[in-house]
Amino acid sequence: MNETILHMLRDAPGGFVSGEAMCQACGVSRTSIWKHIKDMQDAGYNIEAVRNKGYRLVDAPDLVTAAEIREGLSTTLLGQSIVYRETIDSTNSLAQQLALGGAPEGTLVIADEQTSGRGRRGRQWFSPPHSGIWMSLILRPELPLAHAAQITLVAAVALNQALSRATGVQAGIKWPNDILFNGKKCCGILTEMHAEFDQIHHLVVGIGINVNVAQDEFPAELEGIATSLQAIRGERIPRAQVVRTVLEEFEPLYRQYVLNGGFGTLRDAWKANNITLGRHIVAHTARGDIEGLALDIDEFGVLLLEKADGEREKIYSADITVINQTIS
Ligand code: BT5
Protein backbone atom coordinates (compact mmCIF):
# COMPACT_ATOMS: atom_id res chain seq x y z
CA MET A 1 0.00 0.00 0.00
CA ASN A 2 2.88 2.38 0.82
CA GLU A 3 4.16 1.76 -2.68
CA THR A 4 0.81 2.66 -4.25
CA ILE A 5 0.55 5.82 -2.19
CA LEU A 6 4.12 6.85 -2.93
CA HIS A 7 3.60 6.21 -6.61
CA MET A 8 0.39 8.28 -6.69
CA LEU A 9 2.05 11.16 -4.85
CA ARG A 10 5.03 11.15 -7.22
CA ASP A 11 2.82 10.93 -10.28
CA ALA A 12 0.24 13.57 -9.37
CA PRO A 13 0.10 16.21 -12.12
CA GLY A 14 -1.03 19.11 -9.91
CA GLY A 15 0.90 17.87 -6.92
CA PHE A 16 -2.12 16.94 -4.79
CA VAL A 17 -3.78 13.54 -4.53
CA SER A 18 -7.13 13.37 -2.80
CA GLY A 19 -7.61 11.04 0.14
CA GLU A 20 -10.60 9.63 -1.72
CA ALA A 21 -8.48 8.64 -4.74
CA MET A 22 -6.04 6.90 -2.42
CA CYS A 23 -8.87 5.06 -0.65
CA GLN A 24 -10.12 3.78 -3.98
CA ALA A 25 -6.70 2.76 -5.26
CA CYS A 26 -5.81 0.93 -2.06
CA GLY A 27 -9.28 -0.32 -1.18
CA VAL A 28 -9.06 0.94 2.40
CA SER A 29 -10.66 3.60 4.60
CA ARG A 30 -9.68 7.26 4.97
CA THR A 31 -8.40 6.57 8.46
CA SER A 32 -6.16 3.85 7.16
CA ILE A 33 -4.76 6.18 4.47
CA TRP A 34 -4.17 8.86 7.08
CA LYS A 35 -2.24 6.34 9.22
CA HIS A 36 -0.07 5.39 6.28
CA ILE A 37 0.65 9.01 5.50
CA LYS A 38 1.62 9.45 9.14
CA ASP A 39 3.99 6.43 8.94
CA MET A 40 5.58 7.90 5.82
CA GLN A 41 6.00 11.25 7.54
CA ASP A 42 7.64 9.46 10.47
CA ALA A 43 9.99 7.78 7.99
CA GLY A 44 11.10 11.19 6.76
CA TYR A 45 8.74 11.96 3.87
CA ASN A 46 7.62 15.58 3.87
CA ILE A 47 3.95 15.28 2.93
CA GLU A 48 1.68 18.28 3.06
CA ALA A 49 -1.99 17.72 3.92
CA VAL A 50 -4.48 20.38 2.79
CA ARG A 51 -8.19 20.19 3.48
CA ASN A 52 -10.27 19.66 0.32
CA LYS A 53 -7.16 19.12 -1.78
CA GLY A 54 -5.54 16.07 -0.28
CA TYR A 55 -1.89 15.22 0.11
CA ARG A 56 1.22 16.51 -1.65
CA LEU A 57 4.75 15.14 -1.58
CA VAL A 58 7.07 18.06 -0.86
CA ASP A 59 10.29 16.14 -0.33
CA ALA A 60 11.41 12.54 -0.02
CA PRO A 61 14.25 11.20 2.13
CA ASP A 62 17.13 9.21 0.67
CA LEU A 63 15.88 5.69 1.38
CA VAL A 64 16.62 2.32 -0.20
CA THR A 65 13.27 0.74 0.69
CA ALA A 66 11.47 -1.54 -1.75
CA ALA A 67 9.00 1.25 -2.56
CA GLU A 68 11.78 3.68 -3.47
CA ILE A 69 13.73 1.18 -5.57
CA ARG A 70 10.67 -0.03 -7.52
CA GLU A 71 9.78 3.52 -8.59
CA GLY A 72 10.70 3.44 -12.29
CA LEU A 73 12.72 0.20 -12.19
CA SER A 74 12.83 -1.26 -15.70
CA THR A 75 14.26 -4.75 -15.10
CA THR A 76 12.29 -7.96 -15.55
CA LEU A 77 14.37 -10.30 -13.38
CA LEU A 78 16.68 -8.53 -10.97
CA GLY A 79 14.86 -6.80 -8.12
CA GLN A 80 11.39 -8.15 -8.98
CA SER A 81 11.34 -9.34 -5.41
CA ILE A 82 12.90 -6.98 -2.84
CA VAL A 83 13.60 -7.64 0.82
CA TYR A 84 14.52 -4.49 2.75
CA ARG A 85 15.83 -4.24 6.31
CA GLU A 86 16.73 -1.07 8.16
CA THR A 87 19.50 -2.88 10.03
CA ILE A 88 20.91 -6.32 9.46
CA ASP A 89 24.12 -8.24 10.21
CA SER A 90 24.90 -8.90 6.54
CA THR A 91 22.67 -8.84 3.46
CA ASN A 92 24.70 -11.77 2.12
CA SER A 93 23.74 -13.86 5.17
CA LEU A 94 20.03 -13.10 4.81
CA ALA A 95 20.21 -13.71 1.05
CA GLN A 96 21.80 -17.12 1.70
CA GLN A 97 19.00 -18.04 4.11
CA LEU A 98 16.31 -16.85 1.72
CA ALA A 99 17.92 -18.68 -1.19
CA LEU A 100 17.97 -21.92 0.80
CA GLY A 101 14.28 -21.34 1.55
CA GLY A 102 13.52 -21.12 -2.18
CA ALA A 103 13.53 -17.36 -2.83
CA PRO A 104 13.20 -16.67 -6.55
CA GLU A 105 16.12 -15.84 -8.76
CA GLY A 106 16.73 -12.11 -8.94
CA THR A 107 15.63 -11.46 -5.33
CA LEU A 108 17.30 -8.33 -4.01
CA VAL A 109 18.17 -8.11 -0.32
CA ILE A 110 19.11 -4.59 0.73
CA ALA A 111 19.73 -2.85 4.03
CA ASP A 112 20.26 0.70 5.22
CA GLU A 113 22.95 -0.49 7.63
CA GLN A 114 24.97 -3.66 8.21
CA THR A 115 26.36 -4.47 11.63
CA SER A 116 28.63 -7.30 10.40
CA GLY A 117 29.14 -6.51 6.74
CA ARG A 118 31.84 -8.76 5.38
CA GLY A 119 34.47 -8.85 2.70
CA ARG A 120 36.43 -11.81 1.38
CA ARG A 121 38.42 -14.15 3.60
CA GLY A 122 36.63 -13.06 6.77
CA ARG A 123 37.48 -9.38 6.37
CA GLN A 124 35.08 -6.69 7.56
CA TRP A 125 33.11 -4.31 5.37
CA PHE A 126 32.33 -0.91 6.89
CA SER A 127 28.58 -0.37 6.32
CA PRO A 128 27.27 2.69 8.21
CA PRO A 129 23.57 3.73 8.16
CA HIS A 130 21.92 6.20 5.73
CA SER A 131 24.89 6.50 3.41
CA GLY A 132 25.66 3.34 1.47
CA ILE A 133 24.21 0.67 -0.72
CA TRP A 134 24.58 -2.71 0.95
CA MET A 135 22.81 -5.21 -1.27
CA SER A 136 22.83 -8.85 -2.31
CA LEU A 137 21.30 -10.59 -5.29
CA ILE A 138 20.21 -14.21 -5.41
CA LEU A 139 21.07 -15.85 -8.73
CA ARG A 140 20.52 -19.37 -9.97
CA PRO A 141 22.50 -19.73 -13.20
CA GLU A 142 22.41 -23.14 -14.86
CA LEU A 143 26.12 -23.29 -15.43
CA PRO A 144 28.97 -25.63 -14.54
CA LEU A 145 30.58 -24.92 -11.22
CA ALA A 146 33.79 -23.79 -12.87
CA HIS A 147 32.04 -20.65 -14.14
CA ALA A 148 30.59 -19.56 -10.80
CA ALA A 149 33.43 -17.30 -9.69
CA GLN A 150 33.28 -15.38 -12.98
CA ILE A 151 30.03 -13.75 -11.86
CA THR A 152 32.14 -11.38 -9.74
CA LEU A 153 33.76 -10.07 -12.91
CA VAL A 154 30.38 -9.69 -14.59
CA ALA A 155 29.05 -7.80 -11.57
CA ALA A 156 32.11 -5.56 -11.59
CA VAL A 157 31.46 -4.53 -15.20
CA ALA A 158 27.80 -3.83 -14.39
CA LEU A 159 28.76 -1.83 -11.34
CA ASN A 160 31.37 0.27 -13.07
CA GLN A 161 29.00 1.02 -15.96
CA ALA A 162 26.23 1.86 -13.50
CA LEU A 163 28.42 4.33 -11.62
CA SER A 164 29.23 6.07 -14.85
CA ARG A 165 25.62 6.20 -16.06
CA ALA A 166 24.00 7.12 -12.74
CA THR A 167 26.60 9.52 -11.35
CA GLY A 168 29.12 10.35 -14.08
CA VAL A 169 31.91 8.88 -11.92
CA GLN A 170 34.48 7.22 -14.18
CA ALA A 171 36.01 4.61 -11.92
CA GLY A 172 37.67 1.34 -12.89
CA ILE A 173 37.79 -2.34 -12.00
CA LYS A 174 40.71 -3.67 -10.00
CA TRP A 175 40.78 -7.42 -10.55
CA PRO A 176 38.93 -9.28 -9.27
CA ASN A 177 36.32 -7.49 -7.11
CA ASP A 178 37.08 -3.84 -6.43
CA ILE A 179 35.99 -0.61 -8.05
CA LEU A 180 38.53 2.16 -7.51
CA PHE A 181 38.64 5.87 -8.17
CA ASN A 182 42.05 7.52 -8.01
CA GLY A 183 43.43 4.44 -6.31
CA LYS A 184 40.77 4.45 -3.59
CA LYS A 185 38.05 1.85 -3.22
CA CYS A 186 34.43 2.98 -3.56
CA CYS A 187 32.80 -0.42 -4.14
CA GLY A 188 33.49 -4.05 -3.31
CA ILE A 189 31.88 -7.30 -4.39
CA LEU A 190 31.58 -10.51 -2.42
CA THR A 191 30.24 -13.57 -4.22
CA GLU A 192 29.22 -16.57 -2.17
CA MET A 193 27.97 -19.86 -3.50
CA HIS A 194 25.95 -22.86 -2.56
CA ALA A 195 26.79 -25.81 -4.79
CA GLU A 196 27.04 -29.55 -4.91
CA PHE A 197 29.25 -31.65 -7.18
CA ASP A 198 28.98 -29.91 -10.51
CA GLN A 199 25.77 -28.01 -9.86
CA ILE A 200 25.34 -24.44 -8.70
CA HIS A 201 22.31 -24.25 -6.40
CA HIS A 202 22.56 -20.52 -6.02
CA LEU A 203 24.96 -17.63 -6.00
CA VAL A 204 24.73 -14.61 -3.75
CA VAL A 205 26.38 -11.57 -5.23
CA GLY A 206 26.95 -8.99 -2.49
CA ILE A 207 27.66 -5.44 -3.55
CA GLY A 208 28.80 -2.61 -1.30
CA ILE A 209 28.87 0.97 -2.62
CA ASN A 210 30.00 3.93 -0.55
CA VAL A 211 27.51 6.51 -1.78
CA ASN A 212 27.12 9.34 0.73
CA VAL A 213 29.78 8.33 3.24
CA ALA A 214 31.68 11.52 4.14
CA GLN A 215 35.44 11.11 3.76
CA ASP A 216 36.00 11.83 7.46
CA GLU A 217 33.39 9.25 8.44
CA PHE A 218 35.61 6.34 7.40
CA PRO A 219 37.48 4.69 10.27
CA ALA A 220 41.19 5.54 10.47
CA GLU A 221 42.32 2.31 8.81
CA LEU A 222 40.20 3.04 5.72
CA GLU A 223 40.86 6.76 5.44
CA GLY A 224 43.66 6.50 2.91
CA ILE A 225 42.23 3.59 0.91
CA ALA A 226 38.48 4.21 0.71
CA THR A 227 36.35 6.85 -0.94
CA SER A 228 32.68 7.49 -1.71
CA LEU A 229 30.65 8.80 -4.62
CA GLN A 230 29.77 11.86 -2.54
CA ALA A 231 33.44 12.56 -1.85
CA ILE A 232 34.21 12.24 -5.56
CA ARG A 233 31.29 14.27 -6.84
CA GLY A 234 31.15 16.81 -4.02
CA GLU A 235 27.40 16.33 -3.55
CA ARG A 236 24.97 13.83 -2.09
CA ILE A 237 23.63 11.24 -4.51
CA PRO A 238 20.17 9.61 -4.15
CA ARG A 239 20.86 5.94 -3.43
CA ALA A 240 17.72 4.31 -4.89
CA GLN A 241 18.54 5.63 -8.33
CA VAL A 242 22.01 4.09 -8.15
CA VAL A 243 20.51 0.74 -7.06
CA ARG A 244 18.12 0.79 -10.03
CA THR A 245 20.94 1.56 -12.43
CA VAL A 246 23.06 -1.28 -11.02
CA LEU A 247 20.16 -3.71 -11.53
CA GLU A 248 19.51 -2.40 -15.03
CA GLU A 249 23.16 -2.67 -16.06
CA PHE A 250 23.59 -6.09 -14.44
CA GLU A 251 20.53 -7.78 -15.93
CA PRO A 252 21.57 -7.90 -19.62
CA LEU A 253 25.15 -8.86 -18.72
CA TYR A 254 23.89 -11.62 -16.44
CA ARG A 255 21.62 -12.97 -19.17
CA GLN A 256 24.57 -12.97 -21.57
CA TYR A 257 26.73 -14.79 -19.01
CA VAL A 258 24.08 -17.50 -18.61
CA LEU A 259 23.23 -17.76 -22.30
CA ASN A 260 26.81 -17.95 -23.50
CA GLY A 261 27.98 -20.24 -20.73
CA GLY A 262 30.32 -17.95 -18.83
CA PHE A 263 32.35 -14.78 -18.88
CA GLY A 264 33.93 -15.25 -22.36
CA THR A 265 31.75 -12.86 -24.39
CA LEU A 266 31.97 -10.20 -21.66
CA ARG A 267 35.74 -10.12 -21.64
CA ASP A 268 35.98 -7.09 -23.93
CA ALA A 269 33.51 -5.16 -21.77
CA TRP A 270 35.59 -6.07 -18.73
CA LYS A 271 38.73 -4.85 -20.45
CA ALA A 272 37.06 -1.56 -21.34
CA ASN A 273 36.24 -1.01 -17.66
CA ASN A 274 39.43 -2.27 -16.01
CA ILE A 275 42.40 -0.47 -14.49
CA THR A 276 44.51 -3.58 -13.84
CA LEU A 277 45.90 -4.63 -17.20
CA GLY A 278 49.15 -2.96 -18.16
CA ARG A 279 50.11 -2.38 -14.50
CA HIS A 280 52.92 -3.84 -12.49
CA ILE A 281 51.29 -5.71 -9.68
CA VAL A 282 51.94 -8.07 -6.83
CA ALA A 283 49.43 -10.90 -6.60
CA HIS A 284 49.13 -12.21 -3.07
CA THR A 285 48.15 -15.82 -3.69
CA ALA A 286 47.88 -18.92 -1.53
CA ARG A 287 51.22 -20.04 -3.07
CA GLY A 288 52.88 -16.75 -2.07
CA ASP A 289 53.46 -13.36 -3.69
CA ILE A 290 53.97 -13.19 -7.43
CA GLU A 291 55.14 -9.94 -9.01
CA GLY A 292 54.80 -9.03 -12.64
CA LEU A 293 53.03 -7.13 -15.41
CA ALA A 294 49.29 -7.77 -15.65
CA LEU A 295 49.15 -8.79 -19.30
CA ASP A 296 45.67 -10.06 -19.98
CA ILE A 297 42.58 -11.79 -18.69
CA ASP A 298 41.33 -14.99 -20.32
CA GLU A 299 37.79 -16.14 -21.11
CA PHE A 300 37.54 -17.71 -17.65
CA GLY A 301 38.49 -14.48 -15.89
CA VAL A 302 41.96 -15.74 -15.02
CA LEU A 303 44.63 -13.05 -14.85
CA LEU A 304 47.83 -13.55 -16.82
CA LEU A 305 51.02 -12.14 -15.29
CA GLU A 306 54.40 -11.73 -16.95
CA LYS A 307 57.25 -11.89 -14.46
CA ALA A 308 60.56 -10.03 -14.79
CA ASP A 309 62.22 -13.17 -16.21
CA GLY A 310 59.59 -13.34 -18.96
CA GLU A 311 57.85 -16.35 -17.49
CA ARG A 312 54.05 -16.18 -17.49
CA GLU A 313 51.84 -17.17 -14.59
CA LYS A 314 48.09 -17.64 -14.39
CA ILE A 315 46.49 -16.07 -11.34
CA TYR A 316 43.24 -17.79 -10.41
CA SER A 317 42.57 -16.18 -7.09
CA ALA A 318 44.42 -13.45 -5.22
CA ASP A 319 44.41 -10.00 -3.70
CA ILE A 320 46.48 -7.71 -5.81
CA THR A 321 48.51 -4.62 -5.06
CA VAL A 322 49.22 -2.27 -7.92
CA ILE A 323 52.81 -1.02 -7.83
CA ASN A 324 52.64 1.87 -10.31
CA GLN A 325 49.33 3.33 -9.27
CA THR A 326 49.32 6.42 -11.42
CA ILE A 327 46.00 6.53 -13.24
CA SER A 328 43.64 4.24 -11.31
C1 BT5 B 1 35.19 -6.79 -0.58
O1 BT5 B 1 36.00 -7.63 0.12
O2 BT5 B 1 35.53 -5.79 -1.16
C2 BT5 B 1 33.73 -7.25 -0.62
C3 BT5 B 1 32.79 -6.25 -0.01
C4 BT5 B 1 31.37 -6.68 -0.15
C5 BT5 B 1 30.43 -5.87 0.71
C6 BT5 B 1 29.00 -6.21 0.44
S1 BT5 B 1 27.91 -5.12 1.22
C7 BT5 B 1 26.57 -6.13 0.88
C8 BT5 B 1 27.04 -7.55 1.05
N1 BT5 B 1 26.86 -8.02 2.39
C9 BT5 B 1 28.05 -8.26 3.00
O3 BT5 B 1 28.19 -8.66 4.17
N2 BT5 B 1 29.03 -8.01 2.14
C10 BT5 B 1 28.55 -7.60 0.85
P1 BT5 B 1 37.58 -7.52 0.17
O4 BT5 B 1 38.14 -7.49 -1.21
O5 BT5 B 1 37.98 -8.63 1.06
O6 BT5 B 1 37.87 -6.13 0.83
C11 BT5 B 1 37.71 -5.94 2.20
C12 BT5 B 1 38.63 -4.79 2.59
O7 BT5 B 1 38.15 -3.57 2.06
C13 BT5 B 1 38.72 -4.57 4.09
O8 BT5 B 1 39.69 -5.38 4.67
C14 BT5 B 1 39.07 -3.09 4.18
O9 BT5 B 1 40.46 -2.89 3.98
C15 BT5 B 1 38.37 -2.50 2.98
N3 BT5 B 1 37.05 -1.94 3.32
C16 BT5 B 1 36.21 -2.29 4.32
N4 BT5 B 1 35.08 -1.57 4.27
C17 BT5 B 1 35.23 -0.71 3.23
C18 BT5 B 1 34.41 0.29 2.67
N5 BT5 B 1 33.18 0.58 3.12
N6 BT5 B 1 34.89 0.97 1.59
C19 BT5 B 1 36.11 0.69 1.07
N7 BT5 B 1 36.92 -0.24 1.57
C20 BT5 B 1 36.49 -0.95 2.63
Side-chain angles (χ1 to χ4, degrees):
M1 172 147 99
N2 266 352
E3 276 176 48
T4 310
I5 293 177
L6 186 59
H7 186 73
M8 290 179 89
L9 286 170
R10 283 232 162 90
D11 248 25
F16 280 95
V17 183
S18 71
E20 185 51 39
M22 288 182 182
C23 292
Q24 277 177 12
C26 300
V28 295
S29 69
R30 285 255 184 173
T31 320
S32 175
I33 292 292
W34 180 83
K35 276 192 190 134
H36 267 82
I37 294 282
K38 177 90 179 45
D39 285 348
M40 289 175 75
Q41 286 169 331
D42 289 346
Y45 289 90
N46 182 352
I47 299 170
E48 186 186 11
V50 175
R51 192 182 286 271
N52 295 328
K53 277 187 164 180
Y55 300 101
R56 185 171 77 94
L57 182 63
V58 180
D59 200 12
D62 175 34
L63 301 180
V64 285
T65 53
E68 284 292 341
I69 292 168
R70 282 209 186 99
E71 211 39 57
L73 178 66
S74 66
T75 54
T76 55
L77 175 69
L78 303 186
Q80 295 310 290
S81 163
I82 300 177
V83 176
Y84 168 77
R85 295 281 188 277
E86 205 170 311
T87 301
I88 198 166
D89 51 354
S90 156
T91 56
N92 264 36
S93 301
L94 179 58
Q96 290 275 14
Q97 281 170 31
L98 294 173
L100 289 172
E105 171 163 70
T107 298
L108 170 70
V109 179
I110 186 159
D112 189 58
E113 174 189 27
Q114 293 185 123
T115 52
S116 306
R118 56 177 187 262
R120 296 178 305 154
R121 306 180 222 288
R123 289 186 286 241
Q124 290 181 350
W125 182 259
F126 175 63
S127 322
H130 318 314
S131 53
I133 293 172
W134 326 124
M135 62 182 256
S136 303
L137 283 164
I138 297 172
L139 302 175
R140 303 181 185 278
E142 283 182 27
L143 287 177
L145 203 52
H147 294 301
Q150 297 159 18
I151 192 71
T152 298
L153 307 180
V154 179
V157 174
L159 198 45
N160 203 49
Q161 291 181 171
L163 292 192
S164 166
R165 179 154 78 86
T167 70
V169 169
Q170 304 292 334
I173 305 169
K174 180 181 153 209
W175 186 91
N177 70 318
D178 292 348
I179 304 290
L180 303 189
F181 182 86
N182 272 342
K184 290 184 175 175
K185 184 158 165 173
C186 53
C187 315
I189 302 165
L190 173 69
T191 299
E192 294 176 320
M193 164 173 73
H194 183 64
E196 211 178 318
F197 301 110
D198 197 28
Q199 198 197 348
I200 300 172
H201 287 305
H202 65 253
L203 299 176
V204 168
V205 179
I207 295 175
I209 310 175
N210 302 323
V211 183
N212 296 317
V213 184
Q215 196 64 46
D216 60 8
E217 201 186 323
F218 286 108
E221 70 273 16
L222 295 181
E223 228 179 79
I225 59 170
T227 190
S228 72
L229 303 180
Q230 177 189 284
I232 297 166
R233 283 278 311 268
E235 61 182 342
R236 289 184 69 82
I237 291 166
R239 289 176 294 166
Q241 186 214 331
V242 178
V243 175
R244 277 193 294 276
T245 314
V246 170
L247 299 176
E248 287 164 4
E249 290 291 330
F250 199 3
E251 185 164 286
L253 298 182
Y254 175 64
R255 288 197 194 281
Q256 215 177 315
Y257 159 82
V258 175
L259 205 68
N260 299 321
F263 170 70
T265 57
L266 298 167
R267 191 171 154 222
D268 286 343
W270 187 90
K271 285 190 179 187
N273 283 276
N274 100 95
I275 47 162
T276 307
L277 301 184
R279 299 299 177 84
H280 276 97
I281 67 167
V282 180
H284 309 284
T285 76
R287 347 169 228 155
D289 287 0
I290 305 169
E291 187 174 331
L293 177 68
L295 268 192
D296 205 357
I297 187 169
D298 72 11
E299 71 268 37
F300 304 108
V302 175
L303 193 64
L304 189 65
L305 270 200
E306 186 172 75
K307 298 197 289 190
D309 61 7
E311 196 189 326
R312 292 182 177 185
E313 288 255 7
K314 284 185 170 180
I315 308 295
Y316 295 90
S317 166
D319 282 313
I320 64 171
T321 307
V322 177
I323 299 175
N324 61 342
Q325 202 144 44
T326 45
I327 343 170
S328 59

